[in-house]
């Protein structure tokens, strides 16, 4: 009997981080628009932006390391990397709309 061994990369922290940072940044953007472009929202959002950039960068390095080391699971890891990187165009769009 032939056994099919499909190893999947079951790490979910990167997806949770991606969804979390997207949700919070979208809420800050909506709050900024609804508050008639108050600078107080920008002051409150700036610590989140700095921490989100740092956390996403750390997760990107972690996923890249796993991509290099775990050759059998590269497809799953690549999807997670692309999902994590999908926040960049959205964040740039928010930035250009605010400025």
């Amino acid at each position: 009997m032939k056994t099919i061994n499909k190893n999947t990369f079951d790490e979910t922290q990167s997806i949770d981080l991606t969804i979390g940072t997207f949700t919070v940044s979208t809420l800050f953007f909506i709050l900024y628009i609804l508050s008639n472009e108050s600078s107080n929202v920008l002051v409150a959002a700036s610590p989140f932006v700095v921490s989100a950039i740092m956390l996403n960068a750390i997760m990107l390095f972690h996923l890249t390391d796993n991509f290099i080391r775990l050759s059998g699971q590269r497809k799953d890891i690549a999807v997670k990397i692309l999902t994590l990187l999908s926040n960049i165009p959205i964040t740039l769009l928010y930035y250009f709309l605010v400025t």
Side-chain angles (χ1 to χ4, degrees), residues 66-83:
N66 285 332
F67 184 81
I68 293 168
R69 288 188 303 112
L70 304 173
S71 61
Q73 301 171 350
R74 284 191 176 162
K75 183 178 179 183
D76 294 335
I77 298 170
V79 168
K80 291 181 188 288
I81 289 173
L82 290 175
T83 305

Side-chain angles (χ1 to χ4, degrees), residues 5 7-9 13 19 35-36 49 61 63 67 69 83 98:
N5 186 8
N7 293 333
T8 58
F9 190 68
Q13 292 90 358
I19 292 171
S35 69
N36 294 324
V49 170
F61 290 135
L63 288 173
F67 184 81
R69 288 188 303 112
T83 305
V98 167

Side-chain angles (χ1 to χ4, degrees), residues 18-30 45 48-49 52 94:
T18 302
I19 292 171
T21 54
F22 171 74
T23 303
V24 173
S25 63
T26 301
L27 290 175
F28 273 126
F29 179 70
I30 291 171
F48 166 75
V49 170
Y94 291 165

Side-chain angles (χ1 to χ4, degrees), residues 10-54:
D10 292 333
E11 181 180 89
T12 61
Q13 292 90 358
S14 62
I15 300 298
D16 295 342
L17 179 66
T18 302
I19 292 171
T21 54
F22 171 74
T23 303
V24 173
S25 63
T26 301
L27 290 175
F28 273 126
F29 179 70
I30 291 171
L31 184 63
Y32 176 75
I33 297 299
L34 293 178
S35 69
N36 294 324
E37 300 179 358
S38 171
S39 63
N40 293 332
V41 176
L42 294 178
V43 171
S46 41
F48 166 75
V49 170
V50 171
S51 64
I53 289 171
M54 290 174 51

